[in-house]
Amino acid sequence: MSSDKRITLQQAAEIIKDGSSLTFSGFTIWRRPMAIIFELIRQHRRWLHLIEVNGGSQTEFLVGAGCVDIWESCWVGHELYGKYGANLSRKVANKEIIVEDYSHAEMMFRFAAAANGSPYAVTQTALGTDLHNPEYDMLGRAGLRDGKRIAAHKYLFTEDPFFGAGSQVLVPAAKVDIAVLCVQQVGEEGTVRVNGQYYSDPEVARAADITIVMAEEIVPEEYLRRNADQNTIASFEVNHILECPFGAHPTGMFGRYDVDGYFLKDFYGMTRTQEGFDDFAKEWIHGLDHISYLEKLGWPRMLKLKANTALNYSVREKGGK
Amino acid sequence: MSSDKRITLQQAAEIIKDGSSLTFSGFTIWRRPMAIIFELIRQHRRWLHLIEVNGGSQTEFLVGAGCVDIWESCWVGHELYGKYGANLSRKVANKEIIVEDYSHAEMMFRFAAAANGSPYAVTQTALGTDLHNPEYDMLGRAGLRDGKRIAAHKYLFTEDPFFGAGSQVLVPAAKVDIAVLCVQQVGEEGTVRVNGQYYSDPEVARAADITIVMAEEIVPEEYLRRNADQNTIASFEVNHILECPFGAHPTGMFGRYDVDGYFLKDFYGMTRTQEGFDDFAKEWIHGLDHISYLEKLGWPRMLKLKANTALNYSVREKGGK
Amino acid sequence: MATEYATPEEYGLADLMCCAASREVQDNEVVFAGTGLPMVAIMLAQKTHAPNLKLIFEAGTLDGRPPEIPTSVGDARCEMGASRSSGLYDAFSIAQRGYVDLGFLGGAEVDEYGNVNTTCIGDYLNPELRLTGSGGNPDINSFARRTVFIMAHEKRRFTPQVSYITSPGWRVKKWPGGELVHRRELYGAAFRGGPSAVISTAGVFRFDEQSGRMYLDTCHPGKTAEEIRDLCHFELDISRVQGETSPPTRDELYIIHDVLDPEQIFVPKVKKG
Amino acid sequence: MATEYATPEEYGLADLMCCAASREVQDNEVVFAGTGLPMVAIMLAQKTHAPNLKLIFEAGTLDGRPPEIPTSVGDARCEMGASRSSGLYDAFSIAQRGYVDLGFLGGAEVDEYGNVNTTCIGDYLNPELRLTGSGGNPDINSFARRTVFIMAHEKRRFTPQVSYITSPGWRVKKWPGGELVHRRELYGAAFRGGPSAVISTAGVFRFDEQSGRMYLDTCHPGKTAEEIRDLCHFELDISRVQGETSPPTRDELYIIHDVLDPEQIFVPKVKKG
């Protein structure tokens, strides 16, 4: 019952080896484990295979920094602060990255299958779209479908034999090496309590072989266990924990702080070119650690983002305008 | 936003027509909608098809009263107050009821598939057991597998085509007409908050075409909506609501009252014969309504069962000994 | 508050689109809305003629009643007044299970059958421009009984063939061959409906369910059917035009600009006088 | 508290079984336990040599630390000190995903390959006695790396062929034919292990993983291997007997009777002196 799951930010990034498959907590620009993302960039991680229910700013940082070889997901952008993923877009055009497209529900159900220990999920979504165009099986085209960690097929069609419900799309479980989560609270033994929408956090934590949880606060395990029905992820599903206040910045965290729209807008603007990204990374990532990053952001900015605890969002800041 | 979902106990039972397929909230002897079960018996409901993640005292009451033609589930008994379902056992031996056996996980995954809108679930459980004995497909033997509400096959085997994970058991979605839930709190618009283990309540509510929620308390909808992340079932998944304090008795309810072990032991003892059941029903069901049932139980008994609100269970009563 | 229609100088195209979209909703419906104008439109309906609609956001809030517009479906504001806050599995399960009456979505390109593209411009294997990707667009559209698309109207966006079918229209590709077949045929028992309207900056478009083809329903004030036809790369059916799109009422404008989106995050305010 | 072994008059068979079962657990393991003696055994381990074991109850509590024995896995007591309280989907998903090291279960009949029956006595189609049915027995046993069964020892219960295979042993039926094959062959990539021990009122039995056959490991105090062999309807291998089952310690008896089950719900107290 000791706290031997504790690691540092640097150690968290070191657990993620070159060539790992990786996924994250959160949704687009909310609750992304940015402090670990920045540390991965500092550590020059390479050849990552991102498998994400949806992408967001974390994707764009890793892709911009050249950490990613394969991106398997359904969406990337910065919501209203950047209408698409400019780094990914540029690298796709230059064929510097493999993109495997699924629909959002397909990605969610793929993680749910992996979390459930099933090899695949059964859905009826996106029939008739180019998501199922057999020419667009990009991992297949690259010869990477080994049937081990990467499924032998992107998807398969079948007919429902039980109720005559027609065409079904079978999508393979999303098997990932490591999930990195960013949440409000984790207990000393690994119990996670997420406040607000939990997005796909329970499924990605369970789907991954190793789960790292970065939290705003490490809290006494007994505190969380007093109300077990409010907890999101069980202790034994979590391998490593670390405390990192404001670790999701510039993405937002329900009840704690809003998305830093100005930051993301600036970032998006810079990512229209590789040089722009490199300059941004030079200023905000390289040569800094998490505390010096926060110092650089400064108190006025962080206080503006701070959520009103009655409302769970900031009333000082909205929209990065 | 009005409370037009409210119905009475009698109306709740009337919604469940002869021949309906039916499922319940709870687990074995916990949070079963007993007040509605008793009302169904008073109304002489017939030809019900119970599809249950697991059975319990509610099953034994309905089966004993002759309400049930088909029981599709994995377990029935009264836990330590009655080691098996004596009514079901007798009627199986007399071939008065069709029993279709699945495993517990299979039943759970069948409901999860139905709740997810999938025609079937993919599992690797119970391989090599008589649960998959093709001779023991009892609904098939009875010629009832129409492929509409009752699946064309009890199960099917397939091989995983994605990762070579071997034999998979496909089990059909549990399609049910009506789910009857018994919970601590429901809001005026149907939002449900379950305290403690929620068992398979979210899945059965969503799997059913009609969901009836009986609660200890109907509470202001705004109260529940202040903490949306603590709610269990969304408003629009619930069709009808009713308030019925102690509606789960003799089964227990987390945080409110314990299982009435004496009652269940007596019941189990009587159910060794049909005459015994009939006598018990005559005493405790027929000619009573819910309030006169509570009066008959009396205050000392109910106060003994009452949970300590710090612990969520009674410290006065345990084990029915 | 005033229910009379605003005059043309009192509103902009975004206002008009939101109001037209909002009127597609009936009270008590379950609606699944994406980020941006779809979100404004649906919350406008919630605060006007459809107070009992049940709003689902993809990130996991069910029957939410945000007091002001969230910045995205993952925003903390989505949870205000919600019946349940959970996650994506819950939201998509509810949709696949068949609870959703109406989906509200956006798109970059649309073809005459209502197939929508949000993935890339140009050949998928050699894209000119990679866009965001599908998100939940195909899912919401596959699962809902009706889907309304809100898009900017440029001629290149109303194209005979979208670069990539991200979200299924009324005639879709049957794989492995890719020949176009009617959605009803492909979806079989899972067929619930399809795109019911496209609301652009030029007009409101609907679909003939039999042929699957788009037709012009109403022209936005100041535009003629012929002008709109010329704004499409495919042959737009203008034989069924019903006149003008109703303008916003002053009430609606008040709700959009003073209640929902005072910061003008999604809907710019037209300068008056 | 005293760690020395109790004398035979200080404990009963239920005590002995619980203690023997408890010793099957190693610290830090994830254990999935059914109602009754399995629950007592695992909570005894939690309060003695395996304080960090993670206890899962089927109804939906994960890593629970009940202060006293719950009356069933659905009991409110299961939730005390738990890491997470949820439901059956969660519990079975975790098991199917491969988190579970050890399952603790009961049974009415067992055959020499460890196949267990909890469904019916006699022909399934014309049963003499219908029992409870499977519950989670086959699931926990299919998903866990090891499974320990705790059962009353009567000759009719240790049978060459169980009436119904509810829970899979080491040689199981391959459908549609029903011929017995090794569990490893049938489970393929999903194979994680199987029954590792049966703890009866007579002794502790284990399995030769190669042949799948049960053998006698230890005799409970006062019983000989030959007596136990005669208590089985199948040919029990007694060639590997390791001696006597270790009796309970006084500590263990204290925990069972004074901490976990003072009401003697599952474990009767032996009258002293």
Side-chain angles (χ1 to χ4, degrees):
Chain A
M1 318 213 192
S2 60
S3 55
D4 58 2
K5 290 186 178 177
R6 272 184 208 245
I7 55 172
T8 65
L9 199 53
Q10 200 186 327
Q11 287 169 330
E14 283 164 2
I15 288 165
I16 301 156
K17 306 294 180 204
D18 285 352
S20 299
S21 60
L22 194 58
T23 196
F24 309 108
S25 64
F27 184 91
T28 66
I29 56 172
W30 292 89
R31 281 206 298 100
R32 300 304 200 173
M34 299 307 295
I36 294 177
I37 300 288
F38 295 152
E39 188 59 27
L40 282 170
I41 293 171
R42 286 181 204 116
Q43 293 184 15
H44 300 287
R45 199 66 69 253
R46 285 294 174 270
W47 318 310
L48 295 176
H49 178 171
L50 302 191
I51 309 181
E52 306 192 75
V53 175
N54 53 69
S57 303
Q58 79 289 357
T59 316
E60 277 290 288
F61 273 99
L62 287 173
V63 168
C67 306
V68 182
D69 273 8
I70 306 171
W71 181 67
E72 195 169 342
S73 188
C74 76
W75 188 93
V76 66
H78 310 276
E79 297 279 11
L80 71 121
Y81 311 112
K83 59 183 179 179
Y84 64 99
N87 287 324
L88 186 91
S89 186
R90 183 176 61 253
K91 297 209 179 207
V92 170
N94 296 343
K95 304 207 159 76
E96 295 174 67
I97 194 167
I98 294 172
V99 169
E100 190 70 275
D101 275 299
Y102 282 90
S103 82
H104 208 176
E106 285 178 337
M107 286 308 303
M108 181 67 254
F109 294 154
R110 292 184 63 200
F111 273 95
N116 181 239
S118 299
Y120 56 93
V122 186
T123 93
Q124 307 109 51
T125 193
L127 290 167
T129 69
D130 277 310
L131 290 159
H132 300 150
N133 187 328
E135 292 297 308
Y136 297 168
D137 166 8
M138 304 307 284
L139 289 169
R141 293 178 79 100
L144 294 169
R145 297 204 167 278
D146 61 6
K148 290 169 190 157
R149 299 294 285 182
I150 298 181
H153 309 276
K154 177 173 175 177
Y155 68 89
L156 289 169
F157 290 130
T158 189
E159 292 289 314
D160 163 34
F162 291 103
F163 300 101
S167 268
Q168 304 296 317
V169 188
L170 308 181
V171 285
K175 294 186 189 275
V176 286
D177 297 332
I178 303 167
V180 186
L181 275 58
C182 185
V183 302
Q184 290 93 349
Q185 293 179 318
V186 68
E188 293 146 347
E189 297 177 45
T191 299
V192 172
R193 182 174 296 173
V194 168
N195 300 118
Q197 295 164 319
Y198 52 68
Y199 309 127
S200 46
D201 295 11
E203 291 87 0
V204 305
R206 195 171 292 168
D209 289 344
I210 298 173
T211 296
I212 301 171
V213 174
M214 174 168 75
E216 289 295 308
E217 307 175 284
I218 295 180
V219 299
E221 188 71 25
E222 312 84 76
Y223 167 79
L224 297 177
R225 287 176 184 247
R226 251 174 267 149
N227 294 94
D229 53 3
Q230 290 176 28
N231 297 335
T232 316
I233 297 170
S235 58
F236 57 81
E237 301 182 65
V238 173
N239 303 85
H240 306 285
I241 62 172
L242 65 154
E243 182 174 287
C244 183
F246 302 102
H249 182 276
T251 69
M253 181 168 291
F254 181 94
R256 305 294 175 116
Y257 44 90
D258 270 30
V259 174
D260 191 339
Y262 294 96
F263 192 101
L264 289 183
K265 270 190 166 172
D266 285 349
F267 175 64
Y268 173 67
M270 301 282 279
T271 56
R272 312 304 279 265
T273 65
Q274 185 63 49
E275 296 66 37
F277 173 85
D278 293 342
D279 288 347
F280 195 94
K282 198 171 162 188
E283 182 176 356
W284 284 100
I285 301 174
H286 297 295
L288 297 177
D289 62 11
H290 185 62
I291 292 299
S292 51
Y293 171 87
L294 293 180
E295 300 271 19
K296 191 170 157 68
L297 287 167
W299 281 89
R301 183 167 202 155
M302 297 311 282
L303 288 175
K304 221 173 152 192
L305 296 174
K306 201 173 165 301
N308 181 298
T309 56
L311 294 168
N312 296 307
Y313 53 82
S314 168
V315 289
R316 295 178 210 90
E317 165 81 9
K318 189 179 180 189
K321 294 215 167 188
Chain B
M1 316 214 191
S2 61
S3 55
D4 58 2
K5 290 185 179 177
R6 272 185 208 244
I7 55 171
T8 65
L9 200 53
Q10 200 185 330
Q11 288 169 329
E14 284 164 1
I15 287 165
I16 301 155
K17 306 293 180 205
D18 284 354
S20 299
S21 60
L22 194 57
T23 195
F24 308 108
S25 64
F27 184 92
T28 65
I29 55 172
W30 292 88
R31 282 206 296 98
R32 300 304 199 172
M34 299 308 295
I36 294 178
I37 299 289
F38 295 152
E39 188 59 28
L40 281 170
I41 293 171
R42 286 182 204 115
Q43 292 184 15
H44 300 288
R45 199 64 68 254
R46 285 294 174 269
W47 318 311
L48 295 176
H49 177 171
L50 303 191
I51 310 181
E52 306 192 77
V53 174
N54 54 69
S57 303
Q58 79 290 355
T59 315
E60 276 292 288
F61 273 99
L62 287 173
V63 167
C67 306
V68 181
D69 273 8
I70 306 171
W71 181 68
E72 195 169 342
S73 189
C74 74
W75 187 93
V76 67
H78 310 276
E79 297 279 10
L80 71 121
Y81 312 112
K83 58 183 179 177
Y84 65 99
N87 287 324
L88 186 92
S89 186
R90 182 176 62 253
K91 297 210 178 205
V92 170
N94 296 344
K95 302 206 162 75
E96 296 173 66
I97 194 168
I98 295 172
V99 169
E100 190 69 276
D101 275 300
Y102 282 91
S103 82
H104 209 176
E106 285 178 336
M107 286 308 302
M108 182 68 252
F109 294 154
R110 292 183 63 200
F111 273 95
N116 182 238
S118 298
Y120 56 93
V122 186
T123 93
Q124 306 110 54
T125 194
L127 290 167
T129 69
D130 276 310
L131 290 158
H132 300 150
N133 186 329
E135 292 297 307
Y136 297 168
D137 166 9
M138 304 308 284
L139 289 170
R141 293 179 79 98
L144 293 170
R145 297 204 168 278
D146 61 5
K148 289 169 190 156
R149 298 295 285 183
I150 299 180
H153 309 276
K154 177 172 176 178
Y155 69 88
L156 289 169
F157 290 130
T158 189
E159 292 289 313
D160 163 34
F162 290 104
F163 300 102
S167 269
Q168 305 296 317
V169 189
L170 307 182
V171 284
K175 292 186 191 275
V176 286
D177 297 332
I178 303 167
V180 186
L181 274 60
C182 185
V183 302
Q184 290 92 349
Q185 293 179 317
V186 69
E188 293 146 348
E189 297 178 44
T191 298
V192 172
R193 181 174 296 172
V194 168
N195 300 119
Q197 295 165 319
Y198 52 68
Y199 309 126
S200 46
D201 295 10
E203 291 87 0
V204 305
R206 194 172 292 168
D209 289 344
I210 298 173
T211 296
I212 300 171
V213 175
M214 175 168 75
E216 288 295 308
E217 307 174 283
I218 295 180
V219 299
E221 187 72 25
E222 312 84 76
Y223 167 80
L224 298 177
R225 286 175 184 246
R226 250 175 266 148
N227 294 95
D229 54 2
Q230 290 176 27
N231 297 334
T232 315
I233 297 170
S235 58
F236 57 82
E237 301 182 63
V238 173
N239 303 84
H240 306 284
I241 62 173
L242 64 155
E243 183 174 286
C244 183
F246 302 103
H249 182 276
T251 69
M253 180 167 294
F254 181 94
R256 305 296 175 114
Y257 44 90
D258 270 29
V259 173
D260 191 340
Y262 294 96
F263 192 101
L264 289 184
K265 269 190 166 173
D266 284 351
F267 175 65
Y268 172 68
M270 300 283 279
T271 56
R272 311 305 279 265
T273 65
Q274 185 63 49
E275 295 66 37
F277 172 85
D278 293 343
D279 287 346
F280 195 93
K282 200 170 161 190
E283 181 174 359
W284 284 100
I285 301 174
H286 297 297
L288 297 177
D289 62 11
H290 185 62
I291 292 299
S292 51
Y293 171 87
L294 293 180
E295 301 270 19
K296 190 170 158 67
L297 287 167
W299 281 90
R301 185 165 200 156
M302 296 311 282
L303 288 175
K304 220 173 153 193
L305 296 174
K306 201 174 165 300
N308 180 299
T309 55
L311 294 167
N312 296 309
Y313 53 83
S314 168
V315 291
R316 296 178 208 90
E317 166 79 8
K318 190 180 178 187
K321 295 215 169 188
Chain C
M1 305 245 292
T3 55
E4 70 271 26
Y5 291 126
T7 56
E9 57 280 3
E10 290 175 325
Y11 64 88
L13 277 170
D15 294 320
L16 183 67
M17 291 162 80
C18 284
C19 294
S22 155
R23 292 167 195 163
E24 297 288 318
V25 193
Q26 287 157 34
D27 200 13
N28 292 305
E29 289 193 314
V30 177
V31 185
F32 205 121
T35 297
L37 289 190
M39 206 174 225
V40 181
I42 193 63
M43 286 180 60
L44 175 60
Q46 193 175 39
K47 294 196 183 297
T48 56
H49 66 284
N52 300 303
L53 73 82
K54 316 296 177 195
L55 183 48
I56 301 180
F57 291 132
E58 194 161 352
T61 44
L62 308 178
D63 193 8
R65 292 164 189 167
E68 55 173 316
I69 205 80
T71 61
S72 93
V73 300
D75 190 339
R77 288 164 184 84
C78 294
E79 173 146 346
M80 292 291 282
S83 173
R84 175 163 152 83
S85 166
S86 55
L88 283 82
Y89 184 82
D90 219 26
F92 284 128
S93 281
I94 280 174
Q96 188 164 261
R97 176 69 178 90
Y99 281 97
V100 179
D101 296 299
L102 182 60
F104 259 110
L105 299 166
E109 284 186 339
V110 63
D111 72 17
E112 65 179 320
Y113 299 117
N115 292 304
V116 166
N117 172 22
T118 66
T119 301
C120 65
I121 302 299
D123 174 19
Y124 181 76
L125 298 175
N126 296 284
E128 285 165 45
L129 181 62
R130 166 80 199 189
L131 304 171
T132 54
S134 71
N137 206 311
D139 309 307
I140 299 170
N141 178 2
S142 293
F143 297 144
R145 271 172 275 284
R146 310 193 311 283
T147 306
V148 172
F149 287 95
I150 303 179
M151 338 181 11
H153 203 126
E154 297 172 46
K155 189 158 183 168
R156 62 182 175 90
R157 292 173 182 269
F158 280 65
T159 173
Q161 207 185 330
V162 292
S163 296
Y164 184 99
I165 299 183
T166 310
S167 198
W170 285 99
R171 290 183 64 82
V172 291
K173 290 182 176 172
K174 182 172 180 164
W175 302 113
E179 64 278 14
L180 287 183
V181 298
H182 196 279
R183 179 180 178 129
R184 189 185 289 278
E185 179 190 330
L186 194 71
Y187 277 64
F191 175 82
R192 295 194 184 118
S196 60
V198 174
I199 294 168
S200 80
T201 38
V204 174
F205 308 82
R206 301 194 185 275
F207 294 89
D208 180 287
E209 201 182 311
Q210 208 58 35
S211 69
R213 285 188 61 214
M214 188 190 290
Y215 64 87
L216 182 60
D217 184 42
T218 60
C219 305
H220 289 346
K223 294 207 169 58
T224 68
E226 291 70 22
E227 282 169 5
I228 295 172
R229 186 183 56 196
D230 291 345
L231 274 171
C232 297
H233 260 302
F234 54 80
E235 189 77 22
L236 179 70
D237 176 0
I238 59 168
S239 68
R240 298 159 81 163
V241 174
Q242 299 207 57
E244 246 185 22
T245 311
S246 302
T249 66
R250 297 226 166 89
D251 279 6
E252 289 171 327
L253 290 175
Y254 170 80
I255 291 167
I256 292 173
H257 296 293
D258 294 79
V259 178
L260 293 177
D261 192 20
E263 295 93 345
Q264 305 185 56
I265 289 172
F266 296 111
V267 192
K269 215 162 178 167
V270 169
K271 281 181 191 63
K272 283 188 197 176
Chain D
M1 305 244 291
T3 56
E4 70 271 25
Y5 290 125
T7 56
E9 56 281 4
E10 291 174 324
Y11 64 87
L13 277 171
D15 293 321
L16 183 67
M17 289 164 82
C18 284
C19 293
S22 155
R23 293 168 195 160
E24 297 288 317
V25 193
Q26 287 157 35
D27 200 14
N28 292 304
E29 288 194 313
V30 177
V31 185
F32 205 121
T35 296
L37 289 189
M39 208 174 223
V40 181
I42 193 62
M43 286 179 60
L44 175 60
Q46 192 176 40
K47 295 197 182 296
T48 56
H49 66 284
N52 300 303
L53 73 82
K54 315 295 176 196
L55 183 48
I56 300 180
F57 291 132
E58 196 161 352
T61 43
L62 309 177
D63 193 8
R65 292 164 189 168
E68 54 174 317
I69 205 79
T71 61
S72 93
V73 300
D75 190 339
R77 289 164 184 82
C78 293
E79 173 146 346
M80 292 292 281
S83 173
R84 176 163 151 82
S85 165
S86 54
L88 284 81
Y89 184 82
D90 220 25
F92 284 127
S93 281
I94 279 173
Q96 188 164 261
R97 176 69 179 89
Y99 281 97
V100 179
D101 295 300
L102 182 60
F104 260 110
L105 298 166
E109 283 186 340
V110 64
D111 72 17
E112 65 180 319
Y113 299 118
N115 292 304
V116 166
N117 173 21
T118 67
T119 300
C120 65
I121 302 300
D123 174 17
Y124 181 76
L125 298 176
N126 296 286
E128 286 165 43
L129 180 62
R130 166 79 197 189
L131 305 172
T132 53
S134 72
N137 207 311
D139 309 307
I140 298 170
N141 178 3
S142 294
F143 297 144
R145 271 172 277 284
R146 311 193 309 282
T147 306
V148 173
F149 286 95
I150 304 179
M151 335 181 12
H153 203 127
E154 295 173 46
K155 190 160 183 167
R156 62 182 175 93
R157 293 174 182 268
F158 281 64
T159 173
Q161 206 183 332
V162 292
S163 297
Y164 183 100
I165 299 183
T166 311
S167 199
W170 285 101
R171 290 182 64 81
V172 291
K173 290 182 177 174
K174 182 173 180 163
W175 303 112
E179 63 279 13
L180 286 184
V181 298
H182 196 278
R183 178 180 178 128
R184 189 186 288 278
E185 179 190 330
L186 193 70
Y187 276 64
F191 175 82
R192 295 194 183 116
S196 60
V198 174
I199 294 168
S200 80
T201 38
V204 175
F205 307 82
R206 300 193 186 277
F207 294 88
D208 180 289
E209 199 181 312
Q210 208 58 34
S211 69
R213 285 190 60 216
M214 189 190 289
Y215 64 86
L216 181 62
D217 185 42
T218 60
C219 307
H220 289 346
K223 295 207 167 56
T224 67
E226 291 70 21
E227 281 168 6
I228 295 172
R229 186 183 55 195
D230 291 344
L231 275 171
C232 297
H233 260 303
F234 53 81
E235 188 75 24
L236 179 69
D237 175 1
I238 59 168
S239 68
R240 297 159 83 164
V241 173
Q242 298 207 58
E244 247 185 21
T245 311
S246 301
T249 66
R250 299 226 165 89
D251 279 5
E252 288 171 326
L253 291 175
Y254 171 80
I255 290 167
I256 292 173
H257 295 293
D258 294 80
V259 179
L260 293 177
D261 192 20
E263 295 93 346
Q264 306 185 57
I265 288 172
F266 296 111
V267 192
K269 215 163 175 166
V270 170
K271 281 179 190 65
K272 283 189 196 175

